[in-house]
Amino acid sequence: MKEFKGRIVAPGTVCAPALVSHGGLNTLASFQKALQFGDKKATCGDQNNPDLYGKQMAGKALCLPRTIGSTTGGLVLYCACSMKRQPACMLFSEPIDSLAAAGAILADVWLDEVTMPVVDSLGEEFLNYVKDNMTITVKEDGTVVVED
Amino acid sequence: MNLTKEQQAILDGEKGDTLARVMKTLVRYGEIFGADAMVPVTGKYNHLVTSFGLKALKPVYELMDKLIESGHVSTQKFSADPRPLDPDVPSSFLQDFIFKNFMYSRQADYEKQLNELGLMEKDAFSCTCYMDEVGNTPAMGEVLSWSESSAVVYANSVLGARCNRNSGIIDLMGSVLGYVPYFGLLTDEGRKATWIVKIETTKKPEAQLLGSAIGMKVMEDVPYIVGLDKWLGGQLDDAAKTYLKDFGAATASNGAVGLYHVENITPEAVKQGESLVAEGAQVYVIDDAELERVYKSYPVIWKNKEATPKLCFMGCPHMSLNQLIDWTQKIDESLKQAGKSKVCIPTVFTAAPAVLKKFEETPYAATLKEAGVITSYICPLMYMNNPLSEKMPVITSSNKLRTYTSARYYTDAEILEQITKGGGK
């Protein structure tokens, strides 16, 4: 078990299995098909991301360095939250980028019934340590606990 | 965040819940990046990335309805990214059916919403809204609330305007409110270069390849590029602007660049020179070998890597008028050399509706049509971003299209060879 402390971008607590992307998450490429074709598991559709392609993102603790790609990124994330196909939480090793921040904040401000805790600046060691399916607990103060 | 009395009143709900949420969104967005104030948007027009009535984005349309119903539409007129559909672009019966009935079934409704929110005019759909023909060209120093990565990087770098890499919806909220949070590329400090990129190639580097190399290296940082001016003729003329349009789009999509400076070319670099470079800036040297390495690193994700291309897309971002003319001349000459009259791969050139209109007034339009090339206002990305199109072997010289879709990248010279002589690699 290991604990990491980050900055809270969107508040909340959650416990979920980890899903790890070592490269940047292309939000549009990853979510578009799932949103378009009613895939409640939000299977990742980004063929350029070998860590995530074909894996379920909904309900997972998505661990990543940052998001990349189109400036539709924030609204795509907002849509995933609104349609309840979002990850359980998003945990960034780096300081959050403007597109992911927009999606997280839009969901937090405009969707009263949806929670997706977002924590950033967890550090490079966090992404080196965490592996798929480890149990992640996000606490109120931005502490992230990773258990084997 | 230090808000003015008026801004605080909006945040406190004195102008209704919807506008309070808009303010709360932008204040929180700014605070994440260390903004301590909201500053007025001073550009005449906004630009939005969302131009498509994609069924999957229903929550976005519901949010826009809330803005319209509460009377909080954009305080500026705006342009938007290209339309996703054009009947002139080749597509199968199945693609047509899926596009119209499933993917973009909300297109007409969404365009109606855009009109209510403040669209500049009915055909103001292009990612190159900054072209003279389109008329959304901000001036140096103006503060914007734009999205669309290729437009933001052009506005910041080539025009000297000030804009962060905003997401869709955040873009609109900035012009609904009339303020944006002051951070990042809006500040003098945020516009300093933390990379010096030295161009040491033996020939003019391919714009899309050079942009890709720099984007992948510096990611979201600001590069100061030296040694490129000699390949651009030493001035910011139409040809240089076209080069920088394609170059910038590649830096923004292959990385996340929102601003670059080119020594002796871009306005801030001309005015401030090396004082734009931050202390301790890293150095990246680009020579012929480095560009070759980057080109060879691109994955080809076609199932059959030897497949004959079924379509060629040029114009992501949309082509400029001089680019359309230049390509027409090159295709005409190459076809004559090959003893052919028409291109041998279905080819689509995309540009803003206003640019296409201007092109139609030139004699080159007929030449291009005779060569079998289709011109369109479509967004190639929107055409490609679906399971049917991604199975098609599509070629392009756009590094943005390569990055986001299954389209395969070739240099301009290779594309010309393939479409006019069938000389595949």
Side-chain angles (χ1 to χ4, degrees):
Chain A
M1 187 192 85
K2 212 160 184 175
E3 284 192 4
F4 298 88
K5 187 79 199 308
R7 177 179 65 156
I8 299 165
V9 175
T13 59
V14 76
C15 183
L19 177 64
V20 183
S21 172
H22 291 95
L25 173 86
N26 186 324
T27 313
L28 177 64
S30 298
F31 279 96
Q32 187 181 334
K33 268 191 237 170
L35 302 184
Q36 190 69 45
F37 298 103
D39 172 14
K40 290 182 180 168
K41 292 180 178 175
T43 306
C44 178
D46 182 7
Q47 299 182 62
N48 289 311
N49 188 332
D51 289 339
L52 298 189
Y53 181 59
K55 293 182 183 171
Q56 173 178 338
M57 296 185 291
K60 298 290 179 72
L62 190 53
C63 308
L64 68 166
R66 55 178 292 124
T67 69
I68 57 171
S70 165
T71 50
T72 56
L75 69 89
V76 169
L77 206 50
Y78 170 76
C79 288
C81 290
S82 178
M83 296 161 93
K84 305 212 165 104
R85 286 168 203 167
Q86 78 277 22
C89 58
M90 291 181 79
L91 306 172
F92 293 85
S93 61
E94 297 178 10
I96 197 166
D97 55 280
S98 62
L99 305 179
I105 292 164
L106 283 166
D108 199 40
V109 172
W110 291 85
L111 302 172
D112 296 332
E113 294 171 5
V114 177
T115 307
M116 182 181 69
V118 177
V119 179
D120 79 342
S121 304
L122 286 159
E124 203 175 326
E125 195 195 341
F126 165 71
L127 213 53
N128 290 335
Y129 182 78
V130 69
K131 305 280 181 296
D132 276 2
N133 296 318
M134 285 180 165
T135 302
I136 301 276
T137 305
V138 179
K139 297 184 177 178
E140 262 177 14
D141 65 351
T143 300
V144 174
V145 182
V146 185
E147 292 173 281
D148 286 329
Chain B
M1 181 84 80
N2 301 309
L3 300 180
T4 63
K5 276 186 182 171
E6 185 202 356
Q7 292 164 350
Q8 187 63 50
I10 293 171
L11 186 64
D12 293 342
E14 288 184 18
K15 291 192 178 175
D17 177 63
T18 302
L19 204 58
R21 287 194 196 222
V22 171
M23 179 62 93
K24 189 176 178 186
T25 303
L26 293 185
V27 166
R28 281 191 52 188
Y29 173 60
E31 282 175 343
I32 289 289
F33 298 101
D36 59 4
M38 300 286 287
V39 294
V41 174
T42 57
K44 187 174 181 186
Y45 299 115
N46 198 0
H47 181 79
L48 311 187
V49 69
T50 34
S51 58
F52 36 93
L54 200 60
K55 196 178 164 191
L57 299 185
K58 190 178 163 208
V60 171
Y61 312 133
E62 288 169 351
L63 200 156
M64 288 185 169
D65 271 340
K66 277 187 193 168
L67 294 173
I68 294 168
E69 283 161 15
S70 64
H72 299 301
V73 296
S74 176
T75 56
Q76 305 169 287
K77 294 282 182 185
F78 55 80
S79 48
D81 264 11
R83 287 183 167 115
L85 299 170
D86 179 354
D88 289 343
V89 175
S91 54
S92 67
F93 174 79
L94 193 55
Q95 279 174 312
D96 280 343
F97 185 78
I98 297 279
F99 287 165
K100 284 177 193 160
N101 297 295
F102 290 97
M103 289 191 69
Y104 301 113
S105 56
R106 298 287 304 263
Q107 190 63 29
D109 291 344
Y110 183 52
E111 288 193 20
K112 187 169 170 274
Q113 270 190 326
L114 288 178
N115 276 316
E116 290 179 51
L117 285 162
L119 188 68
M120 283 169 70
E121 53 99 14
K122 69 176 176 61
D123 284 329
F125 290 100
S126 174
C127 48
T128 57
C129 58
Y130 43 77
M131 295 280 173
D132 291 343
E133 297 85 354
V134 183
N136 183 359
T137 316
M140 191 160 176
E142 284 185 345
V143 174
L144 313 177
S145 183
W146 286 17
S147 56
E148 169 49 50
S149 63
S150 68
V152 168
V153 74
Y154 188 94
N156 273 320
S157 312
V158 180
L159 303 175
R162 295 193 170 212
C163 185
N164 280 313
R165 273 172 56 90
N166 299 304
S167 169
I169 307 186
I170 294 289
D171 51 8
L172 179 62
M173 287 185 174
S175 64
V176 165
L177 203 55
Y179 296 100
V180 286
Y182 185 66
F183 71 92
L185 298 176
L186 267 52
T187 69
D188 289 342
E189 196 55 34
R191 297 177 77 84
K192 292 253 169 125
T194 51
W195 283 87
I196 297 170
V197 179
K198 295 181 177 174
I199 308 300
E200 295 181 357
T201 54
T202 58
K203 58 184 179 185
K204 185 177 182 178
E206 193 87 7
Q208 300 265 7
L209 205 46
L210 181 65
S212 164
I214 294 174
M216 288 197 279
K217 176 64 80 175
V218 311
M219 291 308 292
E220 75 277 23
D221 290 345
V222 178
Y224 185 88
I225 302 156
V226 296
L228 184 59
D229 50 336
K230 71 173 181 181
W231 299 114
L232 298 181
Q235 57 180 333
L236 192 54
D237 57 13
D238 282 350
K241 285 179 184 174
T242 292
Y243 183 96
L244 294 177
K245 162 184 77 75
D246 290 339
F247 163 81
T251 66
S253 56
N254 285 229
V257 174
L259 165 68
Y260 57 82
H261 303 293
V262 180
E263 191 176 53
N264 300 324
I265 296 287
T266 53
E268 277 162 277
V270 167
K271 206 171 166 188
Q272 300 176 52
E274 286 181 359
S275 66
L276 282 168
V277 179
E279 205 174 310
Q282 300 179 76
V283 176
Y284 177 34
V285 178
I286 295 184
D287 55 16
D288 297 342
E290 175 64 356
L291 287 183
E292 186 66 13
R293 181 194 68 77
V294 169
Y295 188 6
K296 285 184 174 163
S297 74
Y298 298 150
V300 178
I301 55 177
W302 291 359
K303 271 194 178 164
N304 174 9
K305 291 179 173 45
E306 305 305 318
T308 303
K310 281 194 174 169
L311 191 62
C312 171
F313 261 125
M314 298 287 287
C316 176
H318 274 171
M319 294 170 92
S320 64
L321 180 62
N322 73 318
Q323 205 168 14
L324 283 167
I325 292 171
D326 184 46
W327 267 94
T328 302
Q329 291 171 318
K330 284 197 288 194
I331 286 175
D332 189 42
E333 197 177 309
S334 189
L335 283 175
K336 279 176 184 157
Q337 280 174 9
K340 294 182 178 179
S341 60
K342 286 192 185 297
V343 290
C344 40
I345 296 169
T347 299
V348 180
F349 283 3
T350 63
V355 170
L356 289 175
K357 194 175 169 190
K358 199 85 178 166
F359 180 65
E360 287 299 323
E361 293 167 9
T362 73
Y364 301 101
T367 308
L368 194 63
K369 198 172 182 182
E370 279 164 26
V373 175
I374 297 157
T375 54
S376 169
Y377 50 75
I378 201 173
C379 173
L381 267 172
M382 291 296 113
Y383 177 96
M384 290 293 297
N385 249 336
N386 64 82
L388 287 175
S389 300
E390 76 184 18
K391 287 177 187 157
M392 286 173 70
V394 174
I395 60 172
T396 182
S397 71
S398 163
N399 229 318
K400 181 172 182 173
L401 197 61
R402 173 197 73 80
T403 302
Y404 293 154
T405 73
S406 59
R408 186 170 182 171
Y409 172 82
Y410 288 101
T411 63
D412 282 349
E414 289 166 336
I415 288 282
L416 183 65
E417 182 80 5
Q418 291 211 47
I419 63 177
T420 58
K421 298 174 182 171
K425 271 180 88 176

